[in-house]
Amino acid sequence: MNKILNFVETKLAPPLNKMASQHHLSAVKNGMIVTVPLTIIGSIFLLIPNIPIAAIKNFFEPYANMITTVNTVTIGSVGLVGAASVAYYFALEYTDIKIDPLITAFVSVVAFLLATLTDEFTIDTGLFGTRGLFTGILVALLTGTITHFFQKKNLVIRFPDTVPPLVSKSFMSLIPAFVVLTLVWIIRVVLGINVNQVLMDCFSPFIFALNTLPGFLVFMFIRSMLWSVGIHGGAVLAVADPFFLTMFGENVAAFAAGTLPPYITASGFTMFVFLGGGGATLPLVLMMIRSKEKGFSTLGKLCLPASLFEINEPVVFGVPLVMNPYMMIPYTLSTLTLSAGTYLLMLFNIIGRPVANIPWTIPPLFSHYLVTGGNIPAVIWGIAELFIAGAIYYPFFKAMEKQRLEGNEIE
């Protein structure tokens, strides 16, 4: 076990950490965070007329189309917002030369609109949502890169210091913006290359892999391993967020149309895996509260309020679970077990699939109900998950408790 931890810490973690802090990927991660409030608000307006209680559903039915317009606009603008937000953070994070992030974001949005033209040269508004997310990200990175290059090489229009700064910044962006828009125009209009379709074809294997059980289990295993050595696995692997968000957009559209959501591991799936936080540690906290060992009991009581709202850093670093080869086993095993169980139940349509993006701090069971659009079997599975995760943690916790009571703490 120590060899595994050592491998993760010395071989796996460094390149992944470097990847997470890489300029392009960092901008994508920060840009995607901006879209979260929109998807949450949109999900709320989608759920309101679809609450599976006859009286409520019947009451809202005449107004369903009016209410879900908010969902249509919010989820339907994720790609457009991503084009702006990713470009903004990409420009903001340059350290060698200062680029105006707001102007860069605006140029990126216009370039995105140009890239989404149809063959008849009209704007395809259908690509404003998650379907056009990858195009938005690519255009944002292209815009930031070209703007940075021209400013660094001083290939821009500069005015004397007596000219107002806003006017100076606007004209400084003129040449880079012209190059960006001309390049996108040549690719989409002159050459007739459907940028979005090309990107979707390129990324479809990754989307497919992350929506398969083996692919998702590998993803979650790496995430758990990173947390086990004290590295924020979610932050490091945030590069996968656009893939899950793209799946989520397709699920929302299907749910709104009354058809089966096509993707299982879309954004929201991990609500079934993170019971009380990563590693499903809520059952562990409940066991700690009832522990005969005073330290565990006190820590459990202190951790419970946060754990109920999916915050488990006090548990992870307090037990500790980090750098603890012994507790790494249940931490990882519970993650993989709940992932596999949830996947299979959704695959056979026994429980609902993710159709709503909700705040990650919503407690278990409530989150399961909301994320699946009011699916009761999903809540029943959530209850079963608490017992399953508890059964996985129990022997390891009791052994650790015994060691502490005997004065020999397991490390």
Side-chain angles (χ1 to χ4, degrees), residues 287-301:
M287 283 186 275
M288 289 166 58
I289 292 175
R290 297 176 58 85
S291 175
K292 297 177 182 178
E293 203 277 320
K294 189 174 181 180
F296 273 143
S297 179
T298 301
L299 180 62
K301 293 173 183 177

Side-chain angles (χ1 to χ4, degrees), residues 36-353:
V36 172
L38 293 178
T39 58
I40 291 175
I41 294 170
S43 296
I44 292 172
F45 278 85
L46 177 65
L47 290 175
I48 289 173
N50 289 288
I51 295 175
I53 299 176
I56 298 177
K57 194 174 180 67
N58 292 336
F59 175 80
F60 284 113
E61 188 173 2
Y63 317 104
N65 290 335
M66 294 174 57
I67 296 172
T68 55
T69 53
V70 178
N71 173 267
T72 302
V73 172
T74 52
I75 304 297
S77 62
V78 167
L80 187 64
V81 172
S85 60
V86 172
Y88 179 90
Y89 284 105
F90 191 61
L92 188 66
E93 293 173 7
Y94 271 117
T95 56
D96 59 339
I97 188 169
K98 189 174 181 180
I99 300 175
D100 189 282
L102 190 58
I103 294 177
T104 305
F106 287 149
V107 174
S108 177
V109 168
V110 176
F112 173 76
L113 295 176
L114 192 57
T116 56
L117 291 178
T118 65
D119 293 336
E120 290 76 33
F121 307 135
T122 58
I123 296 175
D124 186 357
T125 57
L127 297 182
F128 285 10
T130 54
R131 282 180 52 229
L133 182 58
F134 292 118
T135 300
I137 291 173
L138 177 64
V139 168
L141 298 179
L142 175 69
T143 303
T145 300
I146 291 177
T147 303
H148 174 260
F149 174 81
F150 274 78
Q151 288 197 202
K152 187 174 184 179
K153 298 298 182 180
N154 202 27
L155 301 174
V156 294
I157 299 173
R158 293 188 182 275
F159 287 142
D161 293 339
T162 54
V163 176
L166 185 59
V167 175
S168 181
K169 286 181 181 180
S170 296
F171 276 88
M172 189 181 295
S173 67
L174 181 59
I175 295 177
F178 178 81
V179 172
V180 169
L181 296 179
T182 301
L183 179 59
V184 175
W185 173 75
I186 291 173
I187 293 173
R188 182 66 193 103
V189 178
V190 178
L191 299 179
I193 299 174
N194 189 325
V195 179
N196 193 76
Q197 188 59 52
V198 171
L199 289 175
M200 290 303 294
D201 290 342
C202 291
F203 288 123
S204 58
F206 295 98
I207 295 176
F208 173 78
L210 287 174
N211 194 51
T212 64
L213 182 55
F216 190 76
L217 289 180
V218 170
F219 177 82
M220 295 304 291
F221 178 77
I222 295 174
R223 193 182 193 281
S224 297
M225 288 294 99
L226 291 173
W227 266 112
S228 295
V229 295
I231 298 171
H232 196 303
V236 171
L237 298 178
V239 65
D241 288 351
F243 298 104
F244 295 123
L245 191 56
T246 299
M247 298 180 200
F248 172 74
E250 296 294 329
N251 278 12
V252 170
F255 182 74
T259 59
L260 177 68
Y263 293 105
I264 295 175
T265 60
S267 294
F269 178 89
T270 52
M271 290 289 182
F272 290 92
V273 182
F274 303 151
L275 306 178
T281 54
L282 180 56
L284 175 63
V285 171
L286 296 176
M287 283 186 275
M288 289 166 58
I289 292 175
R290 297 176 58 85
S291 175
K292 297 177 182 178
E293 203 277 320
K294 189 174 181 180
F296 273 143
S297 179
T298 301
L299 180 62
K301 293 173 183 177
L302 292 173
C303 292
L304 182 60
S307 291
L308 289 174
F309 293 94
E310 304 292 316
I311 301 170
N312 71 341
E313 277 79 0
V315 184
V316 171
F317 296 100
V319 173
L321 303 180
V322 169
M323 300 304 294
N324 186 340
Y326 185 78
M327 291 304 292
M328 182 183 73
I329 298 174
Y331 182 88
T332 303
L333 185 58
S334 61
T335 296
L336 299 181
T337 301
L338 298 186
S339 295
T342 303
Y343 186 97
L344 293 173
L345 289 173
M346 289 184 180
L347 177 65
F348 293 107
N349 301 317
I350 298 173
I351 64 174
R353 299 180 182 184

